[in-house]
Amino acid sequence: MSRRSVRTERRLFLADGPKAVEGALSVDGCVVEVYATPTAVEQHADLLAGATVTVVDDRALASLSDAVSPAGLVALCRHVDAPLARVLDVSARLLAICADVRDPGNAGNVIRTADAAGADAVVLAGRSVDAYNPKTVRSTVGSLFHLPLALEPDPAAAVRAAQQRGLTVLAADGAGEVDLFDADLSGPTAWLFGNEAWGLPDELAALADHRVAIPIHGRAESLNLSTAAAVCLYASARAQRG
Amino acid sequence: MSRRSVRTERRLFLADGPKAVEGALSVDGCVVEVYATPTAVEQHADLLAGATVTVVDDRALASLSDAVSPAGLVALCRHVDAPLARVLDVSARLLAICADVRDPGNAGNVIRTADAAGADAVVLAGRSVDAYNPKTVRSTVGSLFHLPLALEPDPAAAVRAAQQRGLTVLAADGAGEVDLFDADLSGPTAWLFGNEAWGLPDELAALADHRVAIPIHGRAESLNLSTAAAVCLYASARAQRG
């Protein structure tokens, strides 16, 4: 059975390296089994206390791990996403919705940044990259396990659900009518981010309550997607917590 | 002669795609020659007005270009970096100094973000990745040509030079003693960013005027380097221009 079929058919995936394994072990019922080399078992004894660990040799572990320099530690995990309704069924004040984000590094980095900025959840919507792609998982550096994640095929449904829960939806849009640093960001906010290359489709951006632009002071035409997300999420965190 | 030897021995490099070629053409004396397919010549006639263009077929162009989907347009360019003293010999108010940044995507993204945030220059210091690496160039999306760039082997020399020009040097440091959003960022500032994996060496961080931490509200341990740079540079832009 190929690794891909394990991921999609049985809703299992691999978390690679100590930070990811530590994150996975912090989620109840997530880890099926940890595989570790004898060296890693010694080195990460604290992290692995209480976990079911299968000791394997370097070669067996390398066959499981995609990383260039595997740390000798991999966890086989159950998918961690939850239905949109449950992810939103909290007193969420800061949310990141990604529509059609295609690059695994960008998607993972948005999840990591949302975690750092104290967001309540992330929604990967539309035809976004597989959240369990090894590159996505690695780019989250453990944050995949730190905050609720929903996968929603219809981005418009995610926008409407957020609005119904009382969140103001702000579309990050270089052509937006509001300047990020003029916007009132103190209330509960869901940020809507589009695709790396073509941004947000007009009809989706139109569903948002406002379209917000990060000011460009130099000659760059735009910002990288996960960079833009970071500037927006931290502007919200600052306004909400200031 | 391999492409690498062209890059290092003759201080030439390739700028790939319309945004990069447009940027290169905006810098006096930068472009040696533009190579374009007949289709690209037609499609980008405005951009190429006045430029010396050699028309080549798709196959010849593909042999020059590293991009997955080449746009049919490449410029052979002279290196654009300037000596540190000249880069600083302006009334600089916002500077980004990268020490030992190793990932081409991160370095390029910092240059792009610095451009967007209105920074006056970027310094790639220490053993940072080659600024003319095709991946670095591509990640800047043209910004490599938009603001002054210096390459300085000694990061401490870059810090001292910035201080001598009256800039306050702030080291971005997760363990820093000042919270980014409590810091007074209104004056002329040089941000100092470290390596992706190990951050800034203590002795280099100690040379900065302050060590500044981006607040982490969730469970992430840190931010991606270019993400952190974006949050810092935009916090400065907002304070300086607010």
Side-chain angles (χ1 to χ4, degrees):
Chain A
M1 184 159 41
S2 79
R3 212 175 304 161
R4 173 79 197 173
S5 70
V6 171
R7 286 217 321 273
T8 55
E9 290 171 22
R10 295 171 53 189
R11 295 180 52 84
L12 296 175
F13 70 107
L14 292 171
D16 188 0
K19 278 182 191 160
V21 172
E22 184 176 24
L25 287 169
S26 74
V27 177
D28 271 350
C30 171
V31 174
V32 177
E33 186 143 19
V34 177
Y35 300 92
T37 61
T39 313
V41 168
E42 255 181 60
Q43 202 177 343
H44 301 288
D46 288 356
L47 191 161
L48 296 174
T52 307
V53 179
T54 300
V55 180
V56 294
D57 63 18
D58 288 354
R59 206 165 145 185
L61 198 99
S63 74
L64 284 172
S65 169
D66 281 349
V68 177
S69 52
L73 194 58
V74 165
L76 181 66
C77 301
R78 295 188 181 88
H79 282 199
V80 292
D81 58 283
L84 183 59
R86 203 189 322 154
V87 160
L88 288 172
D89 193 20
V90 287
S91 51
R93 290 186 50 79
L94 185 56
L95 202 72
I97 304 172
C98 297
D100 298 337
V101 172
R102 299 298 302 157
D103 178 73
N106 267 336
N109 200 18
V110 170
I111 293 172
R112 180 181 182 186
T113 306
D115 178 16
D120 298 289
V122 173
V123 182
L124 291 186
R127 294 191 298 168
S128 288
V129 64
D130 180 9
Y132 304 107
N133 174 312
K135 283 188 191 162
T136 311
V137 175
R138 196 171 314 129
S139 300
T140 72
V141 196
S143 291
L144 179 63
F145 304 102
H146 293 169
L147 75 175
L149 170 73
L151 309 177
E152 169 54 55
D154 179 9
V159 169
R160 287 196 203 94
Q163 287 167 328
Q164 280 160 10
R165 299 283 177 178
L167 292 145
T168 297
V169 176
L170 302 180
D173 180 347
E177 71 270 12
V178 182
D179 181 298
L180 174 66
F181 299 120
D182 294 335
D184 176 8
L185 300 174
S186 58
T189 298
W191 279 101
L192 175 63
F193 305 112
N195 175 270
E196 292 84 348
W198 60 80
L200 286 165
D202 286 349
E203 60 277 18
L204 187 59
L207 290 181
D209 296 285
H210 305 284
R211 284 137 299 279
V212 177
I214 297 172
I216 303 281
H217 302 298
R219 288 168 58 205
E221 275 190 26
S222 63
L223 288 162
N224 165 282
L225 170 76
S226 58
T227 300
V231 174
C232 294
L233 289 167
Y234 263 96
S236 281
R238 180 181 190 172
Q240 291 186 351
R241 293 163 186 263
Chain B
M1 185 159 40
S2 78
R3 211 175 302 160
R4 172 78 196 174
S5 71
V6 170
R7 286 216 319 273
T8 55
E9 289 171 22
R10 296 171 52 189
R11 294 179 54 86
L12 296 174
F13 70 107
L14 292 170
D16 187 0
K19 278 181 191 160
V21 173
E22 185 178 23
L25 287 169
S26 74
V27 178
D28 272 351
C30 172
V31 174
V32 177
E33 186 143 20
V34 177
Y35 300 93
T37 60
T39 314
V41 168
E42 254 181 60
Q43 203 177 342
H44 301 289
D46 288 358
L47 192 159
L48 297 174
T52 306
V53 179
T54 300
V55 180
V56 295
D57 64 18
D58 289 354
R59 206 164 143 188
L61 197 99
S63 74
L64 283 172
S65 169
D66 281 348
V68 177
S69 52
L73 195 58
V74 165
L76 181 66
C77 301
R78 295 187 182 87
H79 282 198
V80 291
D81 58 281
L84 183 61
R86 203 189 325 152
V87 160
L88 287 172
D89 193 20
V90 289
S91 52
R93 291 187 48 78
L94 184 57
L95 201 73
I97 303 172
C98 297
D100 298 336
V101 172
R102 300 299 303 158
D103 178 74
N106 268 335
N109 199 18
V110 169
I111 293 171
R112 180 182 182 186
T113 306
D115 178 16
D120 298 289
V122 173
V123 182
L124 292 187
R127 296 191 297 168
S128 288
V129 64
D130 180 9
Y132 303 107
N133 175 313
K135 284 188 190 164
T136 311
V137 176
R138 196 173 313 129
S139 300
T140 72
V141 195
S143 291
L144 179 63
F145 304 103
H146 293 169
L147 74 175
L149 171 73
L151 309 178
E152 169 53 56
D154 179 8
V159 169
R160 286 195 204 95
Q163 287 167 330
Q164 278 159 10
R165 299 284 176 178
L167 293 145
T168 298
V169 176
L170 301 180
D173 180 347
E177 71 270 12
V178 182
D179 180 297
L180 175 66
F181 299 119
D182 295 335
D184 177 7
L185 300 174
S186 57
T189 298
W191 279 101
L192 175 63
F193 304 113
N195 175 271
E196 291 86 347
W198 60 81
L200 286 165
D202 286 348
E203 60 276 19
L204 186 59
L207 290 181
D209 296 285
H210 304 284
R211 284 136 299 276
V212 176
I214 297 172
I216 303 281
H217 302 298
R219 288 168 58 204
E221 274 189 27
S222 63
L223 289 162
N224 165 282
L225 170 77
S226 58
T227 301
V231 174
C232 293
L233 289 168
Y234 263 96
S236 281
R238 180 182 190 172
Q240 291 185 352
R241 293 162 187 263

